[in-house]
Each structure stands twice: as structure tokens, then as C-alpha cells.
Amino acid sequence: MHRSTRSRRTGVLGALLMSAVLTLTACNAGSTGTAGSTADKSKLTVALTGEPVNLDFTTTAGAAIPQATMSNIYEGLVSVDQTGSIKPLLATGWETSGDNKSYTFTLQQGVKFSNGADFDASDVKFSIERVKSDAWLNGLKSKMDVVDTVEVVSPETVKVNLKRPSQAWLYSMTTLVGAMFDPSGVADLANKPVGTGPYALESWTRGDSIKLTGRDDYWGMKPGINNVTLRYFADAIATTNALTSGDVDLIYNMQAPELLSSFQSNPEFQVLDGTSNGEIILSMNNKVAPFNDKRVRQAVMYAVDRKEVRDTAWNGLGTLVGGPVPPTDPYYEDLNDVYPYDPAKAKALLKEAGAENLDITFTVPTRPYATAVAEVVFSQLKEVGINVKIQSAEFPAVWLDQVFNRHDYQMSVVLAVEARDVLTMFNNPNYYIGYDNAKIKDEAARADESDVTTYIAGMKNVVRTVVEDAASDTLFIFPNISVAKAGLSGIGANSVTEALSLAPIAWS
Amino acid sequence: MNFNLLAGSALVGLVVIVAVLSFVWTPYDPVRINPQVKLQLPSAQHWLGTDNLGRDLFTRILVGARITLLVGVVSVGIAVLIGTPLGIWAGMKRGAVEEITMRGADILLAFPALLLAIMFAAIYGASTVSAMAAIGLASVPGFARVARAGTLQVMNSEYILAARAASQRPLRIARRHVLPNLAGMLIIQCSVTFALAVLAEAALSFLGLGTPPPVPSWGRMLQESQQYWGTFPLMAILPGVAIAVAVMGFNLLGDGLRDRFDPKLGRGKA
Amino acid sequence: MLIRIFKNLARFIVTFLAATLVVFGIMRVLPGDPAAIAAGENATPEIVEQLAKEFGTDRPLPVQFWDWFSGLLRGDFGVSYVTRTDISPLVLDKVQVSLILVTLAMLLALAIAIPLGTLAAVRHKKASGALISALSQLGIAIPGFLLGILLVSLVSLRLGWLPANGWTPPGEDFGDFIRRIILPVTALAGVQSAIVMRYVRSAVLETMHEDYLRTARAKGLSPMKALLKHGLRNAAIPVLTVTSVQFAALIIGAVVIERVFVIPGLGSMLLTAVGNRDLLTVQSVVMVLVAITLLINLIVDVLYTILDPRLRAAD
């Protein structure tokens, strides 16, 4: 009696467990999976870190969305090539008026959206006006503020009138604000994107992967590989493990430089060391003590050995520039000599400012580059008598809230990825850096309204002023490292746009 | 003295000595980087080698013991200070107090340390403090249950019945008669919880929700070593061994204490 | 007995309700307006305001709570502000992944722990028993993720026998599912088996001193045979208890292993949602985890009440 009750109890629990397992294995948990034969030349699996939260960049911030969708699902009238110059895309050409205030675009013919609708001048008008409307909730929409009106001249011709001449506007049209939409395709952009690009969204398993398929009715060159899977990983180590065991074919924008050595020496793989638009910015809150004192900021600039930071934290990869402009921008110049590494000068400046034995808090976002950089900066500042307390801020949420929105910080470090963002960062005293833009405001406005040569010269002056004022320290330009199987070609080594362009990639 | 108690005391003692030593003496500055000597194997200058930033690993292991002990002591402290009085109260008062306290413990039990820590990190940001608070709170129900069970046993004993008959105040009874009788069980629980806290801190640091850099914590050191598993495994082995030593020490200590205080409770129960 | 079961049920309901309040309460302390977070780095006040209206986060808290709670009862977690999709089907999908992973790991752990623990108890005076005990001490002391990374380095990267990470649903390609789940299940089960083994050992040790086992041995059965025939069943209660407790703890504890092996389970979903400040999803996942734990407790309590005559008699 005693015993039989107990055996029944064991039986019941066992049966429960077993039936649970059986029911579960029968169903399709986890939906579409990771498996995929990589020998198949019509397939490509790309490893990325940081999954998009949804696919609608018109309402949602975050670099992962344009990375997956621009150039692949969406296209603009113009695009930039690997060297950073503007090229035709959906527009075959354009003309500017004498006063540089209007642009007339001639459109590519026979272009269809992935939902079958035709692309013409009315879609351009719709897309640009939509950016200016309440439908767009992405702060980048302000790039379209300069547009006054859009006229449909003919189905193949569209004229955009600006309120004032602007050199920066045409460049903005290569970014996500210039993406072309169709009125019939904007109902559920978060889940069902509709664009003119070479790929269409096949499926999306959240927490795992996005599958794209090449379009048969694409107007241009067919993509080199028809079925592309973008697989998202939590960290860089998982991506290299997946590449080593053959689950993925390409790691794009790899975030663990220390892991490169094993791939560099292996002939089965290729390593592409490109540049990007991302600057690693060591920001100092210009409005709050002690960094409201220019001398203290300058002391930091002298105290931080940028070369050692890059070599130690990022294994020597990345470009040293000295200012917040990547070498691929037209107004780039080498500003490394403005503040060379000089700890003695740093100490002298701190003494002059009465800030010896300074205690500061360094708010570091939880990203591999940031923690790596922070440890080196910590040690270097200690050498000149600045005692740093590192406080980690979960990225993006806590960092955005505390540093970016509430400006509640003294020092921070972040990778600024937006293209041509000098003015975003420094021409706005209410930005989290808090740089007083009185000296650069007028010059920046004049430069934008003038011709190309004056624009470049003016912007160079603006950047130099910002650097001389020690508004913040640009540690280095973030490298764009890709690791791929040896047989892949057409991978854009440089990340000069926000997109990862998949169509040119092919197996050789 | 049984073997478990001996081995446990020795390992725990080692961790404590190492932590105390680190306050008095370390061969190098634990956070100062020195890229010229990065990733070196053990040598006369660096007894256990150096890490990817050229920091002395021996120094970092020494200093890391502090964080391990700090996390353990504070989180166990939180659990003891909240859990024990609640458990004793529930055991002495019975009725509604017991019901409410134990239901509260049930709710808390549904939030394991890791879950609480993830939520706390989301609210206050990742730090040693929020990790300790999470591990501590998650361990409260364990102490409350042990204290209540012990109190229930003691409450029927003759000397407590006598004390109640002499109408001593409950607080006095709790302090004079109940608590001393629970001490053995509570110490065992402390030891086991301590081991769990060390493991939880390691897991949290691995997820980036624990101690921020550059302070060396063993869990953090493990996480930082990930890129070097293939090329320089020493960076991973050292903190791994250190964690295992600490956890094993506290577990063995708990087992040994249990055998000593209450051989009937059975050997090797966690 | 029925009364006791009803009591258990009532407790479950009260605890569950209290838990919903706790979770909602904690989530609302989160720093940062969800609308401001969603708007991101280039936000303007107008955009934030518009988003708050769209999300409904500008409404009074009791209204928001009721909205969420009533949906919860219908099994509808609502539409995430951040991902702009229904949360329920996603959570359901991830729950299955987590349950498969944890169930398999627990089964493997039991398959290792029961024989080894029994052996350790039967031979507790011999060297082999001590060795098994020492191994279990070591197993408990090693963090699970460390074991996981070790397995990846050795089995996948060095030897190339199994994939390093990833997940394939069993219904899609069963062979690949097995190949990918072996390592994470082993990593999880390694630590669990060490924990369960200690309980098995002490439970069996206790049973060995019981009268009926002595009687059985007196009848001429060898110690092992006597134990197998009569003792194991009696040692099962504490083992089942620890199994259920560990099972509940593992569902969230597996997050670290999910991270190492890139498995899209509940833990990964929770971490991602926390990172994105996806409040509703965080709330939903936490609630599901809490509900699973409470449900397991309820089932165990009820089973004990039904099956254990001693418990039935107690208070």
C-alpha cells in the first residue's frame, strides 16, 4: 500500500514530463531555424550583432534598421559609393538651378515596388512630403526641413525647391530620409516594408534572423546571391564561432578585433579592414564643472594618448584623425597635431585651472568598444592626476536617458555612427555635449548655402574651431572589419553609408 | 573535525586571506594598464602572467577576491537581516502573520536572483550594488523558511513554554531562546547562500550586469577573457579556478557545519 | 484533502495577483519615458509626445494596469510599442524553446544523477563513493557558462564535431535540432546533475537506514539489490522536490547558456527587451516566467497532498 502510492506518484510526474516533451517536440518551436547548407551558391548567411527592433525607420531610431533595409529593400534617388561621392540611383541624373535652390531629377523608368506598384515622380513627391509630415517620428526628419515644395513635372521628372541653397541636402537624400515609398505600401512598415530595392523581405524570426529574397521584377542588375539570411548574434564571439563552424559566410562590422588573428592566417577566410563613418567620441559635458572650463578639457586632450587607446583597446585597428570627421568626408583634414600626447602640458593646464587631484565620473555605455576604451582612458587620466570613477550605463536605454536626454554626466564615450554629423553634435548647444556654438554658427550656415569649394573650406574652419575649443576628443575612426569565407566577392569594405549593401556580393 | 569542515575552512580561509592581503600589499596596481607587457606567461616579474591590457593577473586575482567576498557578505547579510526576523516572527505568531509572510516569500521565490538582477540593472543600471541587492533579496525566502521551520520546532520545547508561562515579552523570547537555537541552521544556510552568491555574481558579470570595469571581479575577468580562449587560455583559467575554489570552499564549509551541528539532517544536502 | 487542494489553488491565485502588481510596479519605476527611448537619439519633444499618445503611456497608471491585466487573463499581452507586433505569439514561441531546452537538460541531469548518486550512497565508505561526491562538489562549483564555453572551444572549434551555436526547431529538421542542442543541454545538465546528485545521495543514505531495507537484506538480498527493489522509490520524494525547484530556476537560469549558444529562448528575449526598453515585452516575459514557477509549485503541492498520506495527516 505504502509503496504502491509512491510508485504511482513517480509515474504521474514522469508521464507529465514525457508528454510535455512530446507535445513540444511535435510543434515548430522557434519557427524557422539556423540550418542552411552553405555550399549552395544561391545562399548567403551574414552574421550581425544587434537586431532591429522593428523595420520601420520612419518611426523608430536605431542603426540596425537602415543597415538591413537601405540599399536592399529601399532605395533613394541618389546613393554614395565606397569613396563617399554621390552617384545616381533611382534618378538617372539631376540639374541644379542657377541659384542652387532647386534640383530637377530625371527618374529611372520601369521601376516597380515590391508590391507591384509603379515608381514615378508622384512617389517622390509623396515620399519627401511624408518625411515632413507627422507620419515620420524619426528625429532625422529635420534633414528635410530645408525642402520647400516638390513639383511633379512629368511622370519621369520631379523638381524639388529648397527654402535656401544647401550643400548638405543632396547628401541627406542618400540616407534613410531619402528612401522612396509608395502610398499603397506604407500601412505596416514595421513588419512589411515595401521598396524598390533588389531584395524583398521573405520572413523574420525575431530574436534570430531576417530572410531576404532577390526580386525577379527588379529594375537593375539582379543581385549576386538570391537568398540572403541576416542572422543576429548577442556578441562578437558567437559570430566568429559560427563562422568557424561553417554556419555563416560573412561577419559584417565585427566587434572583436582580438579574434581576427586566427582568420588572417587561415586561407579559407578573408579579412577586410575598411573604414566607417563612426567616430569614437570621448565626450565631456561642456556645460558642467569641471569640463565647463576649457583648460580642463584641453588637459584631457593632452593627457589621452589616442594612439595607445586605439592600439590597446582595439588592437590597432581604426584611423587616427584628431577631429570628428572621417577621412571619407569631403571636408576631412588630419588634425592629429592640434593636441598631441603631452602629459606634462596636461598637468600644467590642470594646475592653472586649479583642478589638481580632480575626481570625475565616467559614464560608459555597455558596448565592447566603450568598455575597452574606458579602461585605457581611465589609466591615462590617472597619470595626470584625474581620478576617474567608471559607471556603466546600459546601452541604449539607460545611456540615452541619462546622458543623451538628461545630460546627467561628466564624461562619456560613444560611437557616433550617423554620417556627416559634425554639425549635429556641435552646432547645437542643447545637444548632450553642450558645446557653445556661438563661434561656428554663422560660418556653418554660410558654408551650407555657398558653392562646393566654399562649403568645404568653411566646414574645415568649423571643424578646426571645434577641435581647438576641445569640445570633445575624437579618439579614432571606428574600423569596419568584415570576415568572410574566401570565395565571397563584392563585399563593401568601407561602411560609408548606414546600409549593408547585399546585391553586389557573390560567390566566385 | 570532519573532512568537509576542514577542507571548507581551508579554502574559505584562503579566499579571505587573499582578500585581506590585497588591501595591504599587491605586486602591481590592479587597474593600471601597461600595453608593452600584454598577454605574458607567468614569469619572475608577473607570477601569474598578464592580461590583454598588460595588467598583472596575480594582482587582479588578489583584488578580485575582495569583490567576491563583498558580494557574498552583503547579499547574505541582506538575506539574513530580512529573512530571519520575518521567519521567526511568522513561526512565533502563526495565523495571519505566518500566512502573509510565507506568501510574500512565495512571491519572492518566483523571482530568482538572475531575474531580479536583470530587472534591477534595467532600472538602476548595472553595478555591484544592484547585483548584491538582487542576490540578497532573492535569498530572503530561503532564510525566512529555515528560520520559521526552526522556530516552529523550538516553540514547543519546554523552556520556551516556561518562558511564555512566565509571560516574558515575545521579543525577549525571540532573542534569548529562539535565535540561539537557530544559529546552527542559519550558519549552514549562510554558507550555502554565500556559494550561490559567488556563482550568481559570476553569471551576472558574464552578462555584463555585474561589477563595471576596471575593478577586477572574477566574473568580469572571465567575461573579458572570452576573446582569448583560443590564443591565451590562462586569462580564463585563473578566474575560473578562483571561482571554483571559493564556491567549493563555502559549499564544503556548509556541509561540514551541517554534519557537526546536526548529523541527522543527512549528509550532502544543499 | 479537497480543502487542502482548494487552499493551494487559492494561494496560487493570490500569489499570482500579487506578482502582477509587483511586476507592473517595478516596471513603472524604470527610468526613462518609453516614448523618449523609442524616439531615440534625434528626438524632439513633439515626437516624444506623439509617441506617448500612441503607446498610451500618457494615461493614468491604474488604467494602464487594468488594460494590461485584463489582456493577460485573455492570454493577450498586447502589441509592443517598440517592435509593433503582437507579443503573445512571440512569447509562446520562445516559451517552447526554453521548455524544450530545460526539459531535456533536466532529463539528462536525472539520468546522470540518479545512478551516480545512488552509487555514491551505497559506496559512501569506499573510495569510489568519495570520488563521486568530490566530482559533484566540483560540478556545482563551476559556473555553467564556463562549461558551455569550454564545450564550444573543444567540441566545435577544435574538433569540429558539432555546430558552435544556433537553434533549429525540431519540427523543421530533427537531425540538425539534435546536433545543435547537444552542447547546450550538456552544459546545463552538467551543473544540474551535480546538484541533484547530492540530493539523491543523501536521500538514498537516509533510506538505507530504514527498517524495511534492513529486513530485505536480512532476507538475503545484496545491498544494491535491496535498494533497487525497495529503497529507490522512497528516496524519490526529495529528488522530485529538488527537480521541480531546479526546473523552475533553470528556465530563467538558462539565459546565460542561451547567450553562449545563441538560442532564441525566453531569457534572450528578456535581455533584448530590457535593452530596448520594450516595457510591455519585459512585463510579459517576466509574468510568464513567474507564472511557470508558481504553476510548478502548485502542481507539486497538489501532488503531494494527493499522494502523501503523512502530509494529508499533517496540520
Side-chain angles (χ1 to χ4, degrees), chain B residues 150-205:
Chain B
T151 309
L152 287 180
Q153 274 175 19
V154 183
M155 283 309 276
N156 292 321
S157 64
E158 277 171 32
Y159 53 89
I160 291 210
L161 292 177
R164 291 173 97 175
S167 63
Q168 286 190 7
R169 271 173 302 150
L171 207 62
R172 191 182 155 86
I173 298 179
R175 210 178 57 230
R176 293 288 298 274
H177 304 295
V178 180
L179 199 55
N181 276 296
L182 296 181
M185 290 162 100
L186 288 177
I187 290 174
I188 296 168
Q189 182 75 11
C190 281
S191 193
V192 173
T193 309
F194 210 115
L196 289 176
V198 174
L199 280 177
E201 195 274 337
L204 287 176
S205 293

Side-chain angles (χ1 to χ4, degrees), chain A residues 25-281:
Chain A
T25 40
C27 54
N28 218 18
S31 314
T32 59
T34 35
S37 149
T38 44
D40 192 340
K41 300 242 162 159
S42 69
K43 282 182 181 167
L44 172 72
T45 306
V46 184
L48 296 165
T49 39
E51 188 183 4
V53 290
N54 65 53
L55 292 180
D56 184 7
F57 55 69
T58 72
T59 59
T60 313
I65 310 174
Q67 182 185 55
T69 58
M70 286 301 291
S71 300
N72 303 323
I73 295 173
Y74 296 111
E75 291 173 322
L77 297 180
V78 283
S79 68
V80 288
D81 65 11
Q82 281 276 299
T83 62
S85 42
I86 297 176
K87 293 270 144 50
L89 189 61
L90 286 176
T92 53
W94 59 93
E95 276 168 23
T96 48
S97 61
D99 58 0
N100 279 330
K101 276 176 75 175
S102 51
Y103 286 77
T104 307
F105 295 94
T106 314
L107 303 181
Q108 186 77 45
Q109 295 193 26
V111 177
K112 276 187 188 306
F113 283 96
S114 58
N115 66 354
D118 287 318
F119 167 77
D120 62 23
S122 66
D123 293 312
V124 180
K125 184 176 163 68
F126 168 76
S127 299
I128 294 179
E129 285 176 351
R130 193 162 182 276
V131 178
K132 293 167 70 69
S133 77
D134 283 348
W136 269 64
L137 293 172
N138 187 327
L140 292 171
K141 66 185 283 190
S142 62
K143 306 246 174 204
M144 214 54 106
D145 287 353
V146 68
V147 173
D148 189 21
T149 54
V150 185
E151 296 167 38
V152 176
V153 180
S154 74
E156 305 87 56
T157 319
V158 65
K159 189 176 172 196
V160 180
N161 301 307
L162 306 182
K163 291 172 188 162
R164 55 176 176 79
S166 167
Q167 287 295 329
W169 176 75
L170 188 64
Y171 181 79
S172 300
M173 287 300 285
T174 70
T175 68
L176 60 87
V177 291
M180 288 298 136
F181 296 91
D182 184 76
S184 66
V186 294
D188 186 10
L189 291 174
N191 302 295
K192 296 189 182 71
V194 175
T196 62
Y199 289 96
L201 179 71
E202 167 88 27
S203 64
W204 181 8
T205 313
R206 284 175 197 265
D208 188 72
S209 60
I210 290 176
K211 284 196 163 82
L212 300 173
T213 314
R215 284 173 54 198
D216 293 330
D217 54 350
Y218 180 57
W219 61 272
M221 269 248 296
K222 295 275 177 294
I225 298 170
N226 206 44
N227 299 303
V228 179
T229 306
L230 306 177
R231 264 193 75 195
Y232 292 94
F233 292 83
D235 55 47
I237 291 123
T239 63
T240 55
N241 288 350
L243 183 63
T244 309
S245 60
D247 279 348
V248 302
D249 308 306
L250 160 67
I251 306 172
Y252 187 74
N253 195 2
M254 207 262 245
Q255 301 269 332
E258 303 289 345
L259 294 173
L260 280 181
S261 54
S262 60
F263 294 107
Q264 274 159 336
S265 55
N266 187 336
E268 284 176 40
F269 299 102
Q270 52 176 326
V271 174
L272 296 127
D273 176 11
T275 185
S276 78
N277 277 326
E279 306 100 11
I280 304 265
I281 300 278

Side-chain angles (χ1 to χ4, degrees), chain C residues 2-300:
Chain C
L2 267 181
I3 295 173
R4 241 192 109 86
I5 291 176
F6 272 122
K7 239 175 156 178
N8 281 329
L9 212 62
R11 275 180 185 172
F12 169 77
I13 292 168
V14 172
T15 327
F16 182 80
L17 289 182
T20 59
L21 273 172
V22 171
V23 170
F24 187 83
I26 293 180
M27 283 300 120
R28 293 302 142 147
V29 201
L30 278 177
D33 182 356
I37 302 287
E41 295 178 31
N42 302 290
T44 61
E46 297 79 55
I47 288 177
V48 173
E49 202 179 307
Q50 209 177 325
L51 279 172
K53 200 170 265 171
E54 196 181 311
F55 295 170
T57 45
D58 57 344
R59 297 170 304 162
L61 282 185
V63 178
Q64 291 187 47
F65 176 75
W66 177 247
D67 220 40
W68 175 63
F69 183 73
S70 56
L72 209 62
L73 295 183
R74 280 179 276 118
D76 175 12
F77 293 118
V79 176
S80 155
Y81 318 140
V82 179
T83 64
R84 286 154 205 266
T85 43
D86 270 333
I87 298 171
S88 307
L90 278 179
V91 170
L92 197 70
D93 188 58
K94 308 299 180 202
V95 166
Q96 293 174 16
V97 173
S98 285
L99 284 181
I100 291 175
L101 179 67
V102 171
T103 309
L104 290 177
M106 217 59 225
L107 288 178
L108 179 62
L110 289 174
I112 298 170
I114 292 175
L116 278 186
T118 312
L119 207 65
V122 173
R123 301 196 176 159
H124 73 283
K125 282 177 185 151
K126 293 183 190 147
S128 55
L131 183 74
I132 298 173
S133 296
L135 274 180
S136 83
Q137 282 286 2
L138 192 68
I140 293 175
I142 294 175
F145 63 87
L146 196 58
L147 188 59
I149 300 173
L150 201 70
L151 285 172
V152 171
S153 308
L154 201 73
V155 181
S156 321
L157 301 184
R158 197 79 25 109
L159 301 171
W161 290 349
L162 291 169
N165 52 35
W167 170 265
T168 302
E172 194 175 284
D173 180 346
F174 195 74
D176 201 55
F177 161 74
I178 294 293
R179 287 187 337 116
R180 281 173 199 279
I181 205 150
I182 289 176
L183 292 185
V185 162
T186 311
L188 275 178
V191 179
Q192 290 309 313
S193 59
I195 295 174
V196 176
M197 200 194 297
R198 281 157 59 92
Y199 282 83
V200 173
R201 176 175 172 273
S202 66
V204 173
L205 266 182
E206 250 171 73
T207 337
M208 275 164 54
H209 297 293
E210 304 261 346
D211 289 340
Y212 57 86
L213 263 194
R214 294 203 185 135
T215 322
R217 285 186 64 185
K219 278 195 286 185
L221 285 172
S222 75
M224 201 52 165
K225 271 192 181 151
L227 193 69
L228 285 178
K229 205 154 180 205
H230 304 286
L232 276 190
R233 288 173 187 160
N234 299 304
I237 313 175
V239 175
L240 281 177
T241 312
V242 68
T243 305
S244 64
V245 170
Q246 290 297 327
F247 189 91
L250 255 195
I251 290 183
I252 177 69
V255 58
V256 195
I257 292 296
E258 286 178 19
R259 182 74 163 257
V260 171
F261 290 97
V262 200
I263 294 172
L266 269 187
S268 306
M269 189 185 185
L270 180 65
L271 277 183
T272 313
V274 165
N276 293 331
R277 269 306 170 281
D278 189 349
L279 276 194
L280 260 187
T281 304
V282 174
Q283 260 168 245
S284 313
V285 175
V286 171
M287 244 4 264
V288 168
L289 288 168
V290 169
I292 291 176
T293 312
L294 293 177
L295 256 176
I296 290 174
N297 290 348
L298 175 71
I299 293 172
V300 170

